Amino acid sequence: MKYVLVTGGVVSGLGKGVTASSIGLILKACGLRVTSIKIDPYLNTDAGTMSPFEHGEVYVLDDGGEVDLDLGNYERFLDIKLTRDNNITTGKIYQSVIDKERRGDYLGKTVQVVPHITDAIQEWIERVAVIPVDGKEGPPDVCVIELGGTIGDIESMPFIEALGQFSYRVGAGNFCLIHVSLVPVLSVVGEQKTKPTQHSVRGLRSLGLTPNILACRSTTELDENVMEKISRFCHVPDQKAHEAILRVLNLKGVAREPALGEWTSRAELCDKLHEPVRVAMVGKYTGLSDAYLSVLKALVHASVPCHRKLCIDWIAAGDLECETAKENLDNYKKAWKLLKGADAILVPGGFGDRGVEGKILAARYARENRIPFLGICLGMQIAVIEFARSIVGLLDANSTEFDPNTQNPCVIFMPEGSKTHMGGTMRLGSRRTYFQAADCKSAKLYGNQRFVDERHRHRYEVNPDMVQQLENAGLSFTGKDESGRRMEIVELPNHPYFVGVQFHPEFKSRPGKPSALFLGLIAAATGQLETFLKKGVPKTWGLSNGTSGLKSHRYVNGSKLANGSLDGIYSKGNGIHV
């Protein structure tokens, strides 16, 4: 087994996740089988109880693991299915060691960080690295490990020690260290400064790890003399990343040249799109785009086959409410102007009652004005509440999450849920949804399959006792679970596109293989839905249809970039971007 470790220095948020994903993709393009591990040094067992404002979105895996958003990058780039054990946290490691201590596995020894914690980290990595994640039998060839945080952080010290020991154990030809570092440009003189990177590498070496490759991030193209200086003082050859990795791992005779033609062609096609499609994102965490990262990627994946450039209008749900009109009229007017100017409206998942009435108003506007609408998880639930209030006439209809005493509980707490513990107590992971009608839009978009498996993350669900009343009024529950008691998909049959889903389709969207329901939303917003439904939606989109939202190495989000930019990783001009 070969290992590639990606670390970060100077500052956080440099893009270690995208760097690790890009490296994995390049190695896969060289014909190697790749898996990934993300190490998060925080004490939480997993990301499930963390606020999106703290850590971005919580990404959900097939097995129900609630993990760091970087695992979403890995799955999208490499088109693989990871497990909850591919995300290592300090909490998981310490819990496993304490469990062993309580069982008496250490035979009375004093349990310490070294060797017990460090050994547990190494054992975890070796165990998970051999798990196949690409649907094939046998272990992968390379495991890309990303160490979260920044070198020097106190919480990551046990992992640094463990990885130093690990690199010695597996041998030099089986371990490659890539360090992501910042090369800042001082605005006063416009000069690129290498000292922060030098200090970061020196600190890494003092901890027992020596980088083989540096991924330098900067706002401008690195000057030749700057690259030479970094190479000289940090003892790292410059450029041609994939050749350097293969050389360090003794894979030069095994791997082929990276076949990136398909990705390059997709990126070039993506850059040519100029006609916009405007999507109003009505949510609670609109101040942090990472809170909805997978939703954004799924929208990008769906926009390109429709030959449109995605434009997101972020709308804080609370700004649509009447209270905001009294307290901040400008925000109220701006929010409604954005909503009314959108080609489509999307209400993503979320928790808590803040902004719920605004989300309900957004769903009502989409329904009444025949604007394409997609509601995900809570977004589906608020669409049902709005319909019950406006069409059925149940003015106090609500979710028991927001009003425990409502007389018309359209949405209720799941019977097997826990009200005392938050972590891991939701309906999580891949679950099966059976289509109830062959002629509904969702079934057609999924290729007229009898059922579909999608990932879930929720505690509340539509009240099955109210379904008949809602359907009599015109709402159609087109997808249900195997029991028929859980509502999974809701549609308005006579609307251009009004779909709500209890699951999270964004987690399985891939570049070149957009999520069916996101594709339906964008197609409806651009007047192409009927065409798609008539000719059928292919499982994969070839280059003739446009492709993913991956930008080429020349541009990201319409802006020209260069080697070492903050938006990509390069190897003599060959870049991969998300």
Side-chain angles (χ1 to χ4, degrees), residues 206-268:
S206 71
L207 297 170
L209 287 168
T210 300
N212 302 102
I213 298 170
L214 292 177
C216 295
R217 318 301 300 272
S218 184
T219 54
T220 59
E221 182 176 1
L222 289 185
D223 298 331
E224 286 292 333
N225 66 310
V226 171
M227 287 191 284
E228 291 172 4
K229 186 176 181 180
I230 293 174
S231 176
R232 184 168 64 253
F233 286 106
C234 297
H235 311 155
V236 176
D238 65 315
Q239 299 293 58
K240 295 210 172 185
H242 75 281
E243 291 186 6
I245 296 170
L246 296 177
R247 182 172 62 252
V248 172
L249 296 178
N250 292 330
L251 289 172
K252 289 282 286 184
V254 177
R256 64 179 185 230
E257 277 295 303
L260 294 169
E262 184 177 348
W263 287 85
T264 303
S265 298
R266 285 175 174 172
E268 290 173 349

Side-chain angles (χ1 to χ4, degrees), residues 265-508:
S265 298
R266 285 175 174 172
E268 290 173 349
L269 285 173
C270 185
D271 286 333
K272 295 175 183 177
L273 301 177
H274 300 292
E275 188 175 349
V277 56
R278 307 201 71 87
V279 178
M281 183 87 77
V282 183
K284 178 180 177 181
Y285 311 108
T286 53
L288 180 68
S289 61
D290 271 2
Y292 301 114
L293 183 62
S294 291
V295 174
L296 291 176
K297 298 305 179 187
L299 285 169
V300 172
H301 300 163
S303 297
V304 181
C306 295
H307 300 280
R308 294 294 189 276
K309 182 179 179 179
L310 177 67
C311 298
I312 297 289
D313 290 323
W314 295 97
I315 301 175
D319 288 349
L320 297 170
E321 298 172 1
C322 296
E323 282 299 314
T324 303
K326 300 173 186 176
E327 298 170 2
N328 193 325
L329 186 58
D330 288 343
N331 282 5
Y332 179 80
K333 289 181 177 179
K334 181 181 178 181
W336 275 101
K337 183 178 180 181
L338 288 175
L339 190 73
K340 292 179 178 179
D343 301 311
I345 297 172
L346 191 151
V347 178
F351 298 91
D353 60 358
R354 180 160 59 87
V356 163
E357 293 301 322
K359 296 175 183 179
I360 290 173
L361 289 169
R364 179 177 179 179
Y365 181 82
R367 180 182 57 79
E368 292 180 341
N369 294 275
R370 301 177 65 77
I371 307 297
F373 173 88
L374 177 60
I376 298 172
C377 198
L378 176 60
M380 168 186 165
Q381 295 170 9
I382 64 101
V384 172
I385 293 169
E386 190 282 320
F387 187 88
R389 290 181 183 179
S390 301
I391 303 301
V392 183
L394 306 176
L395 300 183
D396 71 333
N398 214 328
S399 167
T400 56
E401 179 181 6
F402 314 128
D403 181 6
N405 301 316
T406 178
Q407 296 300 304
N408 291 287
C410 290
V411 179
I412 59 174
F413 193 78
M414 293 189 312
E416 70 271 38
S418 171
K419 293 188 178 182
T420 58
H421 289 74
M422 293 183 68
T425 59
M426 290 182 278
R427 190 166 186 249
L428 290 164
S430 182
R431 306 295 177 102
R432 184 155 291 182
T433 294
Y434 290 88
F435 294 105
Q436 305 299 301
D439 60 346
C440 64
K441 292 184 178 69
S442 57
K444 291 179 180 177
L445 286 166
Y446 275 108
N448 296 310
Q449 301 177 72
R450 190 169 64 90
F451 58 82
V452 64
D453 295 322
E454 292 281 13
R455 298 175 184 178
H456 292 66
R457 184 177 186 253
H458 65 101
R459 284 192 180 89
Y460 291 80
E461 59 191 16
V462 173
N463 186 349
D465 295 335
M466 294 187 67
V467 167
Q468 192 60 57
Q469 187 178 7
L470 292 164
E471 288 197 318
N472 290 342
L475 199 60
S476 182
F477 290 95
T478 57
K480 300 180 182 181
D481 78 336
E482 64 279 357
S483 72
R485 295 277 295 171
R486 283 196 160 106
M487 304 303 113
E488 296 282 2
I489 307 175
V490 62
E491 298 184 38
L492 278 176
N494 297 320
H495 191 283
Y497 191 83
F498 193 98
V499 177
V501 290
Q502 187 60 72
F503 48 79
H504 290 263
E506 68 270 23
F507 292 142
K508 294 179 74 171

